[in-house]
């Protein structure tokens, strides 16, 4: 495998009115790489992740997945079809799970494969069973989300994303809303994905997890990438004062 970039973000900028939230961000992620994004609240981490799958498009700059520009300008109808297509390749997991409360676990996982990929009910069910087994929740397939713990909900959300067979997974503080005793079960699932060489971009406040799982760490502050490097450098020997200050409070 060459080290050709898999995800490429070029000169990304994003403003909300006069507020510049992302300023000239450049990032490449290679196939199978696991990148952690750390940084203070409000630094633009979620905005960057949401830009990658066009949930919240950039003001300027480019996002590419392999040789496809995700945020290309197209007439409205073509754009909708394009975005639906590319989002299938990008799984996203949110802090607050975002499961559909009126659907069972099975319904949550089978919805997109049926609607977007046209899978038969039987095939979608099989997929749901496989993905649930993977996150250790086979017995919950007919439960509603309200009957699950936070850790279980998040594992279902991961199974739902994986059911689309994405090329890359984005995690936005996937464990931040969990009680401390439930964090590990979700981290375990993410570690398992890492062992399977899933390409992942992980926004996290858990420095130990980032250090143990990620190949690279980016420290963001005020809309810029202040510093990036392997975990051993960023956590043990950061160059920038802003990184050191942040880590002093969070390690
Ligand atoms: P982080 O995830 O690092 O905490 P965010 O990307 O959520 O940071 O937010 C970065 C900045 O953008 C913050 O100042 C936030 O208030 C602002 N912001 C985020 N989303 C919106 C929005 N939809 N409208 C206006 N401002 C927003
Ligand atoms: Mg955020």
């Amino acid at each position: 495998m060459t080290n050709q970039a898999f995800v490429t973000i070029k000169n990304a900028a994003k403003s909300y009115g006069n507020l510049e939230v992302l300023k000239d961000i450049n990032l490449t992620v290679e196939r199978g790489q696991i990148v952690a994004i750390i940084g203070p609240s409000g630094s633009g981490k979620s905005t960057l992740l949401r830009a990658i799958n066009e949930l919240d498009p950039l003001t300027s700059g480019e996002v590419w997945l392999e040789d496809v520009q995700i945020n290309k300008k197209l007439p409205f109808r073509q754009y909708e079809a394009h975005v639906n297509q590319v989002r299938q390749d990008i799984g996203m997991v949110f802090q607050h799970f975002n499961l559909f409360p009126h659907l069972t676990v099975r319904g949550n996982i089978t919805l997109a494969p049926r609607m977007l990929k046209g899978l038969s009910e039987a095939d979608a069910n099989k997929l749901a069973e496989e993905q649930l087994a993977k996150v250790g929740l086979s017995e919950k397939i007919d439960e509603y989300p309200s009957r699950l713990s936070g850790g279980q909900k998040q594992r279902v959300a991961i199974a739902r994303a994986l059911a689309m067979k994405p090329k890359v997974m984005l995690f936005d503080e996937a464990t931040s809303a969990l009680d401390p005793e439930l964090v590990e079960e979700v981290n375990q699932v993410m570690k398992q994905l890492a062992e399977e060489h899933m390409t992942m971009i992980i926004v996290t406040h858990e420095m130990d997890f980032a250090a143990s799982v990620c190949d690279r760490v980016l420290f963001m502050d005020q809309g810029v990438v202040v510093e990036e490097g392997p975990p051993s450098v960023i956590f043990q020997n950061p160059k920038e004062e802003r990184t050191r200050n942040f880590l002093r409070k969070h390690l």
Side-chain angles (χ1 to χ4, degrees):
M1 188 66 57
T2 64
N3 63 355
Q4 166 212 349
F6 200 54
V7 179
T8 308
I9 298 171
K10 283 188 206 165
N11 307 118
K14 172 80 184 179
S15 299
Y16 292 110
N18 290 331
L19 182 66
E20 278 186 280
V21 174
L22 300 177
K23 302 165 197 166
D24 197 26
I25 303 255
N26 289 281
L27 168 64
T28 58
V29 181
E30 287 154 28
R31 191 192 296 269
Q33 236 185 11
I34 303 169
V35 175
I37 303 178
I38 61 170
S41 183
S43 55
K45 305 180 299 294
S46 295
T47 304
L48 181 61
L49 277 199
R50 289 199 309 267
I52 293 174
N53 68 358
E54 281 287 276
L55 276 180
D56 201 350
L58 293 174
T59 309
S60 62
E62 296 175 13
V63 182
W64 292 77
L65 178 58
E66 296 184 287
D67 55 355
V68 176
Q69 185 177 357
I70 299 207
N71 68 331
K72 66 181 166 192
K73 301 278 175 272
L74 289 168
F76 181 69
R77 275 182 201 291
Q78 284 175 46
Y79 173 80
E80 284 223 304
H82 163 75
V83 162
N84 271 335
Q85 188 59 46
V86 293
R87 280 202 192 130
Q88 297 186 26
D89 290 334
I90 306 171
M92 185 148 179
V93 174
F94 302 88
Q95 184 175 355
H96 294 290
F97 327 125
N98 298 14
L99 295 176
F100 305 113
H102 60 292
L103 296 178
T104 62
V105 167
R106 183 196 304 276
N108 268 277
I109 300 176
T110 56
L111 185 69
R114 294 199 64 189
M115 302 284 285
L116 297 177
K117 288 195 167 169
L119 258 62
S120 69
E121 189 175 351
D123 286 347
N125 271 319
K126 187 160 166 279
L127 194 58
E129 284 158 18
E130 282 165 13
Q131 296 307 326
L132 276 177
K134 212 169 151 168
V135 300
L137 286 174
S138 297
E139 77 285 3
K140 299 293 185 191
I141 194 160
D142 291 313
E143 285 291 4
Y144 282 89
S146 60
R147 309 242 315 164
L148 303 177
S149 72
Q152 291 170 337
K153 282 181 199 166
Q154 196 58 296
R155 283 147 70 200
V156 170
I158 295 171
R160 177 176 65 177
L162 293 174
M164 292 302 281
K165 311 277 183 197
K167 292 178 176 171
V168 54
M169 286 283 285
L170 313 177
F171 291 88
D172 194 358
E173 298 195 31
T175 58
S176 294
L178 300 177
D179 292 335
E181 71 274 18
L182 303 178
V183 167
E184 192 49 32
E185 64 189 67
V186 174
N187 281 346
Q188 276 308 327
V189 171
M190 292 167 73
K191 280 184 183 155
Q192 186 187 320
L193 289 176
E195 279 158 21
E196 295 167 9
H197 307 290
M198 173 64 81
T199 308
M200 299 197 265
I201 305 176
I202 302 173
V203 171
T204 183
H205 284 302
E206 285 188 75
M207 304 305 150
D208 289 342
F209 179 76
S212 67
V213 173
C214 298
D215 302 303
R216 271 163 69 205
V217 180
L218 266 73
F219 171 64
M220 279 181 70
D221 191 18
Q222 298 185 358
V224 300
V225 176
V226 174
E227 185 166 3
E228 70 162 297
S232 57
V233 173
I234 298 295
F235 291 126
Q236 281 148 41
N237 199 11
K239 287 198 250 341
E240 301 292 332
E241 185 55 33
R242 276 199 273 177
T243 317
R244 285 199 288 271
N245 269 332
F246 174 80
L247 291 172
R248 217 170 281 135
K249 293 179 213 142
H250 291 88
L251 274 182

